[in-house]
Structure formats: structure tokens, C-alpha cells
Amino acid sequence: MAVPNGVLSAGGSQNPAAKSLKKLENTEKRDTLIQIEKRYQKKWQDAGVFNADAPSTSDIPTGEIPAAELRKKHPKFFATFAYPYMNGTLHAGHSFTVSKVEFTAGFSRMQGKRVLFPLGFHCTGMPIKACADKLRDDVAQFGQSFEKYEEEEQEAAAQAPAPTQADTREDITKFTSKKGKTAAKTVKMKYQFQIMLALGIPREEIHKFSDAQYWLKYFPPICKNDLNNFGARIDWRRSMTTTDANPYYDAFVRWQMNRLKEMEKILYGDRYTIYSPKDGQPCMDHDRTEGEGVAPQDYTALKLKVEEWSPKAAERIKDKIPEGANVYLVPATLRPETMYGQTCCFVGPKINYGLFKVSKKEYFVVTKRAAWNMAFQGTFFKVDSFPRDASELHAVTELVGSDMVGTLVKAPLSIHKEGVRVLPMESVLPTKGTGVVTSVPSDSPDDYATVMDLAKKADYYGIKKEWAELEILPIIQTPSYGNITAKFLVEKMKINSPKDAKQLAEAKDLAYKEGYYKGTMVFGDFKGEPVEQAKPKVKDQLFKNNEAFAYAEPNGHVVSRSGDECVTAYLGQWFLNYGENDPQWRDTVMDHVKHGMETYSSETQNGFEKNLDWLNRWACARTYGLGSKLPWDPKFLVESLSDSTIYMAYYTISYLLHSDIFGTRPGVLSIKPEQMVDEIWDYVFCRRELDDSLLKSSDISKADLETMRREFEYWYPLDMNSSGKDLIPNHLTFFLYIHLALFPKEYWPQSVRANGHLLLNGNKMSKSTGNFLTLRDAVEKYGADACRIALADAGDGVEDANFEEDVANQIILRMYTLKEWCEEVLKDKSLRAGPADSLWDRLFDNEMNALVYEARYHYENLNYKVALKSALYDFTSARDFYREATTAASTPMHATLLRRYITLQALILTPIAPHWADYIWTELLDRPNTIQNALWPDVPLPDSSLTATREYVRSTTSAITSAEAAQQKRKAKGKATLFDPRRPKHLTIFYASAYPSWQDPYISIVRSAFDAMSLHFDEKKLNTDVQARGKAEMKKGMPFVQSLKRRLLAGEGPDVVFERKLPFQEGEVLGDMVKGVRRTTGCKAVEVVRVDGDDEGSVGTVVVGEKVGETRKELPQAAGQAVPGSPSFHFENVEG
């Protein structure tokens, strides 16, 4: 399945809507970085850095070790994203999905794995063919260069939106997926050539696109170039186009379809499907410009026979139908089990209805829209003579709904055998159902509210009151709402009018769910049975008695790529037997989703499970478009979501078969397309073993066959399939179904990563608003690495992410500045040499180790936003802290440490920003080989005592500056201060040599509630024991408990924490900090005083300052606030 481009985006970088996006000025830094990127992209492509092969059969002969052991001995990573559709160029949303594979592939390479990231080009289906045919018509009408076209004013048609899927969903037993993005990205222009012009394709070239095959030649090279400019790690040797334009891929698809048919996974039969009358074929998800995800909605169409026409209606049909003919009003219902309680029939008083001839003696009254749907379900036309245009369906006459009010009709199953009346209902929609609604006020809140209103205002509505006062029959008993559900809910929710739409919608949902899942029939032939069981029986009874028939329509608005409004047709077709009709297949897939595959998020997992519960048979063939012919029925083509389920397997051997995307040039093995018969594919994909007959019939050498099989059995199973979450309802679920049907379990997919849509600057991407970027636009505007970093920063979950242009722009400055700093530092001769053993050296070295481990953890868990934080933002912050600390201490930074920092910075950024990293690696650090082949750095484990020291230094420095700043604020507001920050000042830092005795019982409390093995606290016990100490101690006790918990959870050993030992010498650390503190605060002097003793008996000893060793008994109040690890401060003014 292709990632649809939605609309054409021409080959040039011109984006007509880009004027509303951020404008860049002073692009010198960006241009410098892009020059570096171009240089390294060329190096990587020239060297074939991303070309990956399986271990050869000459190195490890076939059969020497099992495939699983081969993969264990030579670790690999194989990932794909849904191959893009070639009706345009890639947009920034594509790059977001690509980036997930990119970053994972980059990190996997650094883990020492062989990494395969291939990409093909999807061309199957209607979009290309439909656009080409439109262009052909444009050329015929306006000339090759459209010189005959005259500009005309075009006014956008103001269309009321058709009901969305959510609006029309009534059947709670069916799962529905939200529609995809395609509709939102459709450019509304009258002619196809205008779209091509608007998107930058030269006028003189546009006529070439009237040949559908030209699209296949034009867009793939652009796609490849754009991804290379992005720095993608793609093995382009394995690319291909789909359809019969590539005979090898065509053979692969034919094999797939043949085997599925043999396994009875593909069947033929009559079924409902979304259908384009204009195209004369089913219209599946990616054949649509509007309505992706919309499916047929099944109804029971009742035949309400007219017994007596209203005067106006009688006049309208006079002499229009033969004597003795029966006319039926035809309401469509989702609740046939309630038909015993029909009390009237509703029509929309302002809606136009048609009287349509079914046969000589039978006529239906429905809306034209409903009749048009019925025309493709055997009601007015045979399946072999379906109409192509609505003008072929003629109404005998038309009637306005108000003219039919008062008509007497006989309602099937209703207890009112004398008939019920046609009454007006303002809320009837002509865009839903048949426009005729049967009324069951016992179980429908809408119906109950309406008949009550009609009875109250009979004169106003021009009806007889008794028509709206027929007996309301209890039909279904429910545990919550009794046996007249609608009345109960209307009264409970205080619904006063049929116009209370919001409350009625809620009541309807409650009534339907309660009735269907918990209700029991209390009337009719199936009295006593649960509604779930009775519903299909009542429907069958109605069908058998010719009182109803099956009817279906799209549950939303669908427009095909050819611009045709689609209907639901009932016709014979080849379909993949997904869903409930092959429960074993469905359950196998469900089990794999639940237990055999990683989905990375509960949202993705739930999406698959809901879709598997809902998904049903899927039409897999069509007659119009591009594709491979169905092998056993060549008048059909395999549809685009059915030839794109296992193409990942084709990637494994494609470069062995052909060396160009069309398969015109042989690949490594010089095998011809006709040699790739079904049995050969079976062997390559581990479905059978090799024998002499196969060798003889194929005329392919045993060595070549074993080489192909080696590639498959090594690279498979697919480790990750990355895609947008909108593809879960179709492509991703089909991908699982077909893999599990065709391949041995060992080769089933390992994971699916679904991402949300990509917002641009916080808003939905849209060409019409100008908030839109193609991948090429983005890379040309910001450079590859800035885009990649911005994409990593955008987010990782299934919720919509956000590409911020401001972030990308800031990244340019950050990466350029960091590059320049690295260049300068590596040339700096003033840096310190010798042992790197100062406190600041050790803290910096340790923090780098900690961040390398932290970044690795996040990369391993595919959390790239936080990986970026560790690998770039926190890593540069560690350098900044080191630089500031050494500067404050008047000590040069250490040359070896800075070189280590630069080396590690390049390595841990490689997955996300490979161009920048490779420049640092090869040109600044003078490494002989590309960083793309470097391994993740092996660094010592971080020292927890140094980590604690670093946090102590940071928190203490922050506390000192905050204390001084607080006094400055008080001074500025005219409030009393302890000292004047503007005058010369002296700072004393107090630290405690021991913890106060009041903390002892809290140590015991935390120790008893802590499980050192699981790092888990018994919170209930902890809180109970703390509260038992009394409210008086809670204010100081609880913060102390929380500080202990934080230290334990951060990895400090329980023996250190519970013994109340700091993992560092506090006095020594403060001594090292004094120079810097003095510089940052501007103090004349800074001294450090150790506080011994508790409360009133405390004594201070100067450990740093002019009076080292001096004992002080009279200490300021601040001294008593110091506890180990949390010093206190005392500022005072001194003489200048």
C-alpha cells in the first residue's frame, strides 16, 4: 500500500502556498551546513554505505545452520515504511514517518547490526490513470499546450457538507474508522492541467502526463533525490515500481494471488461494496478523493404498501401508474426487531421524492439518492447493465413530502393492522437512508418526541390528532429503562421537543445499546429471546414474506478519483475473505497482534483489535486503473491495497532479479521474469524445498536459488513497519492478514510502529491555507539535519506531532555554532593537558558517561524526542556547565576531555543528524571511515557519587543565586532586607556534619516500606507511619521522606541513604566551589563553615576562608537550617 500523496505535488520545489510560512533571512550559516550535507550524501551514495546483503552461501553454506541461528550469529534489522504513491512528490508528513525508520536504522547500525532499509514506488490503482485520462481530455479540448483555454472566473460552490461517518453511524454493532487525510488535501480546480501548472510542472511538459506510464518514469527519480537530500539510509538497489510495468514484481503479485486463491482466502461472490458508477467498478479506500474509511451500511428496507393516498398525492400520481399496481413507501431501518410497534411513517415535508418503477405492478417511493443506490443492488437494473449516469434512472413522477401527509399505508408486522398514516418529521434527512422513516415510538426517542409533538400541535401540522395517538406497544424489556425505553429516556432527560437534537442523539445511543445488548423480546414470534438473537430472525421473516428487502448505502460521502459520487453496489466480485467468514484466519491474526508483535503503544494495539473485530470481506480486483492482472480472470486488475501487503518480502531479493526499477535490466543473478514461476517463489519464501524437477523446469541454477532464499530467510521476519495511524484500518491490517496466511510463523512481522499526523507550526497541513511543506521545500529551506532534528523533536506517540519551523531555524544556529566551537577547540593550544583529575573534570567526564547511557536507553525504546534531549540538549548543557565552572575557577578546560566530548557528541547524534556528525568525525577528528559505520560508544558506567556531586553543585549554586536574587527583589520593592546586595558583601556557607536526631524515626519508616529488589515503596504503609508521627512533625518530616525516596529511586544504594552518608565529602566540594561562587556573586569573601552538634548546642568550624580552623559558638539563625547535602547561606555587608 502506498502512502497517498493526496494531490499532485510537482517535481519542482516551487510551492505556491509557501508564502504564508516562515521566511528566512541571512542564510549563510544554513548554506554552510547544506554544503557539508551535500558532500557527505555524495560520499555515502558513491561508497554504497547503505547497501546491505545477507551473509553469502559461500561463507555459510545453505543448511549449515538454521536461519534463526544465522540471524542470531549475524544480527540484522530490517524496516520499511509504506511505499509512497507516485502521483506527486513527498510532503513533510511522509518525512515524519520516514524519520522513525531512519533513526531506528541509524541506531541499529551503531549496535553492529546489518541494516536493510529499502524503498519501492507504488503505482497501482486508479489515481494515476484517472489523472492521466483527465489530462487527455484537457489536451483534446484545449490543445497540447492548452493554448485554447481562456481564463474564466470560477466561484467555489458552497456545498453543505455531507454527513460524516460519525454523524451517520447508527449501527452500534459495527466498528467504523475515521476517514483519512486525503480529502483535506485535495486541490479544487476545474481542470487537471491547472493542478499540474499550479504545482510547478512546466506547461510544455504537462501533455506528457496524459500517458499514465509517464508518471511512473517522472516521479520515482524525484522521490529518490528528495530522500537522498534528506540523508535517508536507503538501499536503492532494491527499489521497484509496482504494476505490470515491472514483470518481476508482476510475477510476484500473481504468485501471491494464486496461492491465496488456492488457500480459499480469495473467493468470488455477491456482496455490497462502495462503487463508482462512472468508473464502472468498486471504489476502494485509495481510489477516493473523499471518504477514505467509509464502508457500506446495511439496512432492512421495509415495503409499506399504500392503501389510500392523501388527496394531493393522489392527484400527483393520477394516470401515472397502471390500474392494480402496488405502490410502497420504503423506509430503511437498522432495527427490524422493533417493527411490531410501528405507529406511523415519517417523511420530510420539504423533501422531494420520486415514484420509481420496479416492475409493471410494483413501484417504490424514495428519494432520488436512495433510488440511485438501489439501482446498483438489482432493484431497477440488472448487474450486467448498471447505469453510468443518473440520467438513466427515471422517476415516474415526483412528490413533495408534505403532499403525502395523511396517506394510509400498511406497515409489515405492526399490530395496527388497519394501517398507519404518513406524518411529517422536520428532521428527516434526504442524505441518509431512503428519506422515508418508519416510526416506533416505544424504542426510538426521536420517534416518541415527534409523535408527542404532533399530537399536541395537530392543527399546526395539518393532521388529525388521532393519527399520532395510536397505541404504543411494549416490544423490548430492558433492565435499565423498562419496556417503553423511549418514553423513559425522553422524560428522564427532560426532552421537550423534537428540536432537542443533542439530547435526542444521546438518548438514541443509550436506547440502542441497552436494547440490543441487554434487551429481551416481549412481543412477537420470538418473545422471550434476547434481541441479539431475535433481530436476524425477524429480518429473515420479513424477507421471506416479501415485506422487506436488503438495502445498503455508503455510511458517509465518497467521491472517486474520477470525481464521481459513489454508491453501494451489490455485485459479484473477487474478494479477500477477511473477518468473520474465516474466523480461524482472523483469530490467528488477533492472537499475533496481542501476543506475537510489538505495537509500541496501547492506542495502536487497540486500533488493530477494534479493526479486526470489524473488518470484513474486501474486494481485491477492479477493471480500471494500473496494476497486475488477476491470473485466473485477466479482465480484472489486482487493486492497490491488495498488491501491497507483502512487498517487503520482494525487497529481500529484488536486486538479484533486476537492476532498474522497471525490471528491464537483469540483476545480479541474470534471471528472466518468465523463470520466476509460482513454485520458485514458494521455494524462495520457504514454503517448499528444492527438488530436481523444479531445478529442471525453471532452468535456474541451484546456487542462484539458494542465494535468493538466503536473502529472504536472513532478512525476514520484518523487524519494523512504520506507517501513519490512518493506515491501521486497511493497509496495516491487510499486511498482517496476508503475511500470516502465506509465510511460516518464523517469518511473521515483529512490530508495527504507527505515528500520528504531522502538524506544521501547530496547525494541520493544508495547501489551501498555505500551511504546507513538501519534503524538498523543507530540506532546501532548513537543511537535512535541521529538519531531522525538528522531526525528532516533534514527538513519538500516535497523537499528532508538530513540526515547528522556529525549532528548525534555531537548530541551524545551534548546529553551526557547535560546529564552529568544535573547530576552534581542536585548534586551541591553551587548553590544559596532563591528568584530568579536578572536580570539574571528573564531574564532566562522568556526566558524559551518564548521558551516553541515557541516550542509548531512549534510542533502544524508540523515544527519539527524549533521545534528542539527552544526546544534544543535555549533552551541550553538560559542556556548558564544565566551561562555566572551569572559567569561574580560573582553570582552563582539559584538552583530552574536550576531544572526548566532541567524539561522543558526534557518535550519539549520528542516528538523528548524520551529516553534521560525519563532518565532525572525518574532517575534525580525522577518522578514516564514515561515522555511519561506527559503533555506539562503549563508556564506563556512571559513578553515582559523582552524579550526586554534580546535582549538589548545581542545586547549591542555584540556591545561592536565588537567595541573593530574593533580597534584590525585596530591595527593589522598598521592603526591609537582611543586607544590601549592591554594597560589598560577605557570604558564609554552612554545612552540617550530621543529620538532626528528629530524622531517625523517619529513616526507619522509609526502610521498612522500601523493597530494594524491585525499587518499590509500600505507599500505604509509608503514609500511615508518617502520619502516626503527628501533625506537628509533618511539615518537616514529609519533605525529608520524599528526599530519601528520590535518592533511592535515582540509584543510590540503600546502605548509603539509610546510614545517612553523603556519597561525597561535602566540605571538599564546597571548597572547590568557592572560587566560582565568589565570582558569580561578586562577594568580597566567601567562607565555608562546618556545623557540628544539634539545635542549641551547635558549633561552627571554619574550613574554607581566611580564618580556617576558627571555632564559632554564636552562629546566625541560617546555620541551624543546614542539613547534610543541603547547606544554608548567610549574606552580610562588609566594609569596602
Side-chain angles (χ1 to χ4, degrees):
M1 188 269 36
V3 176
N5 288 315
V7 296
L8 301 180
S9 176
S13 63
Q14 302 97 325
N15 183 350
K19 60 178 179 292
S20 67
L21 300 175
K22 184 178 181 66
K23 292 184 178 180
L24 298 189
E25 298 177 0
N26 302 321
T27 62
E28 182 181 348
K29 294 180 176 62
R30 179 205 67 183
D31 296 342
T32 299
L33 294 175
I34 288 179
Q35 287 174 6
I36 291 171
E37 291 168 355
K38 296 297 183 189
R39 191 157 71 240
Y40 282 90
Q41 288 161 6
K42 186 175 187 305
K43 285 184 178 182
W44 299 336
Q45 293 302 318
D46 290 348
V49 170
F50 308 128
N51 296 348
D53 299 331
S56 69
T57 53
S58 57
D59 291 337
I60 303 176
T62 299
E64 184 174 286
I65 58 174
E69 189 176 332
L70 176 69
R71 295 190 291 271
K72 187 176 180 181
K73 186 176 180 181
H74 299 278
K76 61 89 181 180
F77 177 76
F78 176 24
T80 63
F81 88 104
Y83 50 16
Y85 198 77
M86 289 295 100
N87 66 337
T89 59
L90 305 183
H91 55 68
H94 288 106
S95 61
F96 183 55
T97 303
V98 171
S99 72
K100 303 307 178 186
V101 183
E102 258 298 293
F103 303 154
T104 314
F107 179 67
S108 296
R109 292 176 68 92
M110 300 191 79
Q111 291 178 297
K113 298 176 182 178
R114 299 188 191 206
V115 173
L116 178 59
F117 176 16
L119 187 68
F121 308 106
H122 199 200
C123 307
T124 307
M126 280 185 58
I128 290 174
K129 177 65 173 166
C131 291
D133 287 352
K134 287 179 183 177
L135 274 176
R136 182 194 60 207
D137 295 342
D138 289 354
V139 170
Q141 184 175 354
F142 302 119
Q144 183 167 296
S145 297
F146 313 102
E147 62 276 5
K148 299 176 186 176
Y149 176 74
E150 295 182 5
E151 293 293 335
E152 56 189 66
E153 291 187 11
Q154 298 178 27
E155 295 183 5
Q159 280 188 324
T164 63
Q165 196 163 334
D167 294 330
T168 60
R169 184 186 176 198
E170 289 188 13
D171 190 345
I172 57 156
T173 67
K174 300 290 180 67
F175 168 77
T176 56
S177 64
K178 293 181 179 178
K179 71 175 184 177
K181 309 171 288 210
T182 308
K185 295 182 183 172
T186 302
V187 175
K188 298 291 186 183
M189 292 190 180
K190 187 172 182 179
Y191 298 106
Q192 184 66 36
F193 83 89
Q194 292 173 312
I195 297 174
M196 312 293 277
L197 276 173
L199 294 168
I201 295 180
R203 180 182 288 264
E204 61 273 13
E205 285 191 38
I206 292 176
H207 71 93
K208 298 176 183 177
F209 289 86
S210 61
D211 176 6
Q213 297 302 315
Y214 185 72
W215 299 64
L216 280 59
K217 299 171 184 175
Y218 186 85
F219 285 111
I222 293 172
C223 176
K224 178 179 178 180
N225 187 61
D226 288 351
L227 285 166
N228 281 340
N229 290 338
F230 183 65
R233 299 174 174 93
I234 294 173
D235 183 350
W236 291 111
R237 301 173 305 157
R238 298 174 185 264
S239 298
M240 76 292 182
T241 57
T242 64
T243 78
D244 53 9
N246 184 321
Y248 295 95
Y249 192 82
D250 187 54
F252 167 71
V253 172
R254 284 187 278 108
W255 160 78
Q256 170 188 338
M257 303 308 285
N258 279 332
R259 292 298 179 251
L260 290 170
K261 183 171 182 288
E262 290 167 7
M263 298 166 69
E264 296 186 342
K265 304 301 182 187
I266 294 179
L267 301 172
Y268 187 86
D270 293 332
R271 60 185 293 275
Y272 289 112
T273 190
I274 304 297
Y275 182 88
S276 167
K278 179 179 178 181
D279 301 328
Q281 65 176 7
C283 185
M284 310 312 288
D285 272 2
H286 290 150
D287 302 329
R288 307 172 186 174
T289 58
E290 293 182 51
E292 186 177 340
V294 171
Q297 173 66 68
D298 298 342
Y299 290 93
T300 299
L302 291 165
K303 297 169 69 174
L304 275 61
K305 183 182 177 184
V306 174
E307 298 290 339
E308 174 188 320
W309 283 105
S310 65
K312 288 184 180 179
E315 185 64 27
R316 288 290 300 170
I317 68 165
K318 185 179 180 182
D319 301 326
K320 299 287 176 42
I321 59 174
E323 189 176 344
N326 293 319
V327 178
Y328 299 91
L329 270 70
V330 184
T333 181
L334 292 166
R335 305 197 65 185
E337 73 279 8
T338 66
M339 292 303 100
Y340 302 105
Q342 295 175 87
T343 64
C344 64
C345 173
F346 293 129
V347 294
K350 297 178 183 178
I351 294 176
N352 289 321
Y353 295 86
L355 177 67
F356 296 93
K357 180 180 178 180
V358 180
S359 66
K360 289 182 180 179
K361 294 293 184 179
E362 190 171 46
Y363 293 77
F364 288 169
V365 176
V366 293
T367 60
K368 179 69 179 284
R369 173 186 167 279
W372 186 233
N373 269 276
M374 291 178 183
F376 300 90
Q377 298 168 29
T379 301
F380 305 118
F381 296 88
K382 302 287 186 183
V383 70
D384 56 355
S385 59
F386 280 168
R388 290 296 184 99
D389 189 89
S391 62
E392 298 177 52
L393 177 64
H394 303 286
V396 174
T397 189
E398 291 188 358
L399 302 100
V400 178
S402 57
D403 290 347
M404 292 188 284
V405 170
T407 296
L408 182 70
V409 294
K410 183 178 180 182
L413 297 183
S414 174
I415 60 165
H416 301 292
K417 302 300 182 185
E418 70 282 2
V420 300
R421 295 289 176 171
V422 175
L423 300 178
M425 187 183 202
E426 296 287 348
S427 59
V428 173
L429 297 173
T431 54
K432 183 176 178 182
T434 62
V436 181
V437 178
T438 190
S439 172
V440 183
S442 58
D443 290 86
S444 168
D446 289 279
D447 296 354
Y448 182 83
T450 300
V451 295
M452 292 297 105
D453 190 59
L454 289 169
K456 284 181 191 175
K457 305 174 184 176
D459 291 341
Y460 173 79
Y461 288 110
I463 65 170
K464 294 182 180 180
K465 185 176 182 181
E466 59 266 27
W467 292 350
E469 291 185 326
L470 298 188
E471 178 190 357
I472 297 177
L473 173 74
I475 304 165
I476 296 171
Q477 180 71 42
T478 66
S480 302
Y481 311 133
N483 60 16
I484 305 288
T485 294
K487 181 176 186 292
F488 180 95
L489 286 170
V490 166
E491 293 175 353
K492 180 183 178 183
M493 298 175 71
K494 298 180 179 178
I495 297 170
N496 300 313
S497 164
K499 295 180 181 179
D500 294 339
K502 186 176 179 181
Q503 298 100 306
L504 282 169
E506 184 181 349
K508 176 182 178 180
D509 190 52
L510 292 171
Y512 195 175
K513 286 180 179 178
E514 178 84 5
Y516 183 77
Y517 290 113
K518 299 178 182 179
T520 302
M521 301 295 293
V522 294
F523 187 87
D525 294 344
F526 308 103
K527 180 179 179 180
E529 293 189 20
V531 170
E532 279 188 272
Q533 296 177 16
K535 178 176 179 174
K537 295 178 181 179
V538 175
K539 183 163 71 171
D540 289 345
Q541 187 181 68
L542 287 164
F543 288 174
K544 186 182 294 184
N545 295 335
N546 195 28
E547 294 176 318
F549 59 94
Y551 168 70
E553 65 184 28
N555 62 2
H557 191 230
V558 181
V559 178
S560 74
R561 296 276 181 178
S562 61
D564 188 33
E565 185 168 347
C566 293
V567 298
T568 292
Y570 188 72
L571 71 168
Q573 56 188 298
W574 293 104
F575 57 85
L576 279 154
N577 198 30
Y578 299 137
E580 62 188 5
N581 295 292
D582 192 336
Q584 184 176 358
W585 193 15
R586 179 197 60 197
D587 293 347
T588 301
V589 177
M590 181 71 83
D591 183 70
H592 185 62
V593 167
K594 290 181 176 179
H595 308 295
M597 185 180 81
E598 176 63 61
T599 57
Y600 304 103
S601 74
S602 58
E603 293 91 340
T604 301
Q605 176 94 9
N606 293 336
F608 274 118
E609 291 180 18
K610 287 180 180 178
N611 196 50
L612 286 166
D613 284 337
W614 161 81
L615 182 67
N616 214 320
R617 294 169 169 174
W618 185 269
C620 62
R622 62 162 54 80
T623 57
Y624 174 80
L626 303 179
S628 297
K629 292 181 173 62
L630 210 56
W632 60 88
D633 199 349
K635 67 176 178 290
F636 288 106
L637 299 170
V638 180
E639 68 96 23
S640 62
L641 279 164
S642 299
D643 83 335
S644 57
T645 53
I646 57 168
Y647 59 87
M648 309 83 181
Y650 186 82
Y651 284 144
T652 63
I653 64 166
S654 57
Y655 82 106
L656 299 173
L657 299 176
H658 52 82
S659 59
D660 70 311
I661 62 174
F662 296 105
T664 59
R665 297 193 302 271
V668 174
L669 300 182
S670 297
I671 294 172
K672 297 176 182 177
E674 56 268 23
Q675 292 177 284
M676 294 302 296
V677 295
D678 288 354
E679 291 74 21
I680 294 296
W681 295 107
D682 284 339
Y683 170 73
V684 170
F685 296 142
C686 301
R687 290 169 51 87
R688 63 163 290 170
E689 294 306 317
L690 202 56
D691 57 31
D692 291 339
S693 64
L694 183 57
L695 283 168
K696 185 176 181 181
S697 63
S698 70
D699 198 27
I700 302 174
S701 71
K702 182 178 181 181
D704 287 352
L705 288 170
E706 289 178 345
T707 296
M708 287 193 287
R709 181 155 175 168
R710 167 59 56 84
E711 287 283 333
F712 172 76
E713 66 182 8
Y714 175 71
W715 290 116
Y716 252 57
L718 181 69
D719 296 292
M720 186 175 83
N721 189 357
S722 177
S723 191
K725 64 183 178 183
D726 53 309
L727 297 185
I728 291 174
N730 43 58
H731 164 60
L732 291 174
T733 302
F734 300 171
F735 152 79
L736 294 177
Y737 260 114
I738 305 303
H739 268 84
L740 271 59
L742 290 178
F743 298 121
K745 189 171 184 178
E746 179 181 351
Y747 302 107
W748 290 359
Q750 297 298 291
S751 78
V752 171
R753 172 161 189 156
N755 55 261
H757 301 156
L758 184 68
L759 305 178
L760 180 58
N761 301 323
N763 297 303
K764 183 182 291 187
M765 279 202 287
S766 168
K767 286 180 179 289
S768 61
T769 63
N771 195 53
F772 188 82
L773 272 180
T774 66
L775 173 57
R776 176 177 291 190
D777 289 334
V779 171
E780 288 184 353
K781 189 172 186 178
Y782 297 108
D785 281 342
C787 285
R788 293 167 69 104
I789 292 171
L791 288 167
D793 191 65
D796 293 300
V798 297
E799 65 276 1
D800 290 349
N802 184 32
F803 182 95
E804 279 287 352
E805 288 195 281
D806 284 339
V807 171
N809 195 33
Q810 292 161 11
I811 289 297
I812 293 172
L813 178 60
R814 176 183 283 271
M815 301 313 293
Y816 181 85
T817 303
L818 186 55
K819 175 190 79 74
E820 284 206 321
W821 181 86
C822 293
E823 292 167 347
E824 292 167 4
V825 161
L826 292 173
K827 297 174 185 175
D828 192 345
K829 303 300 182 184
S830 67
L831 297 175
R832 187 159 44 93
D837 56 3
S838 76
L839 174 65
W840 313 119
D841 294 339
R842 289 182 288 119
L843 293 184
F844 183 39
D845 197 38
N846 186 70
E847 187 167 9
M848 287 193 288
N849 294 339
L851 288 170
V852 168
Y853 276 99
E854 196 176 286
R856 177 176 189 137
Y857 173 81
H858 295 313
Y859 277 127
E860 286 173 340
N861 287 279
L862 280 65
N863 293 322
Y864 300 115
K865 186 178 179 72
V866 285
L868 176 68
K869 180 178 181 294
S870 301
L872 178 59
Y873 301 122
D874 291 349
F875 212 69
T876 52
S877 292
R879 177 211 61 179
D880 294 343
F881 179 80
Y882 177 57
R883 179 169 56 186
E884 291 161 9
T886 53
T887 299
S890 302
T891 305
M893 294 185 288
H894 199 285
T896 303
L897 275 182
L898 291 185
R899 188 173 186 88
R900 181 172 191 254
Y901 162 79
I902 293 169
T903 302
L904 292 176
Q905 179 68 94
L907 286 166
I908 64 178
L909 259 187
T910 295
I912 295 174
H915 309 86
W916 186 93
D918 215 354
Y919 168 76
I920 300 296
W921 184 256
T922 57
E923 296 190 38
L924 299 191
L925 297 174
D926 201 26
R927 299 298 180 102
N929 299 313
T930 174
I931 202 169
Q932 296 276 17
N933 293 331
L935 296 178
W936 187 261
D938 185 13
V939 300
L941 286 169
D943 184 330
S944 61
S945 65
L946 287 173
T947 301
T949 304
R950 179 201 64 201
E951 293 308 314
Y952 176 84
V953 170
R954 285 178 171 166
S955 63
T956 301
T957 302
S958 175
I960 291 171
T961 55
S962 296
E964 185 179 21
Q967 294 301 311
Q968 289 174 335
K969 284 183 180 179
R970 290 182 64 85
K971 184 77 173 175
K973 293 179 180 180
K975 296 181 179 179
T977 59
L978 300 174
F979 70 100
D980 186 346
R982 294 173 297 184
R983 290 178 53 210
K985 53 190 180 288
H986 175 280
L987 169 63
T988 304
I989 304 174
F990 297 100
Y991 76 96
S993 62
Y995 288 91
S997 56
W998 66 262
Q999 293 181 351
D1000 292 344
Y1002 292 100
I1003 290 288
S1004 299
I1005 289 171
V1006 175
R1007 191 197 299 269
S1008 66
F1010 179 63
D1011 184 342
M1013 294 297 292
S1014 65
L1015 293 181
H1016 175 74
F1017 286 92
D1018 184 341
E1019 296 288 352
K1020 184 176 180 181
K1021 175 177 172 52
L1022 185 67
N1023 292 331
T1024 301
D1025 290 349
V1026 170
Q1027 290 171 7
R1029 296 291 303 167
K1031 290 184 178 180
E1033 285 192 5
M1034 282 285 285
K1035 280 190 176 181
K1036 59 181 180 180
M1038 186 54 80
F1040 175 62
V1041 167
Q1042 296 300 331
S1043 69
L1044 294 177
K1045 287 175 64 178
R1046 282 194 297 271
R1047 290 176 62 188
L1048 290 165
L1049 294 174
E1052 282 192 57
D1055 55 333
V1056 174
V1057 175
F1058 293 138
E1059 293 301 323
R1060 286 184 286 181
K1061 296 175 182 176
L1062 290 178
F1064 54 86
Q1065 294 297 321
E1066 188 171 9
E1068 293 179 9
V1069 173
L1070 287 170
D1072 285 323
M1073 291 177 62
V1074 163
K1075 264 191 178 181
V1077 170
R1078 183 175 176 181
R1079 181 168 177 166
T1080 55
T1081 61
C1083 288
K1084 297 286 290 182
V1086 177
E1087 63 179 5
V1088 178
V1089 175
R1090 184 184 70 244
V1091 181
D1092 301 303
D1094 200 356
D1095 298 330
E1096 295 181 3
S1098 59
V1099 176
T1101 303
V1102 179
V1103 296
V1104 177
E1106 294 181 359
K1107 300 178 181 180
V1108 173
E1110 180 179 280
T1111 301
R1112 298 177 183 173
K1113 293 185 178 180
E1114 293 185 7
L1115 300 174
Q1117 184 179 358
Q1121 297 170 1
V1123 294
S1126 182
S1128 58
F1129 320 107
H1130 178 68
F1131 285 95
E1132 58 185 335
N1133 291 121
V1134 295
E1135 293 297 325

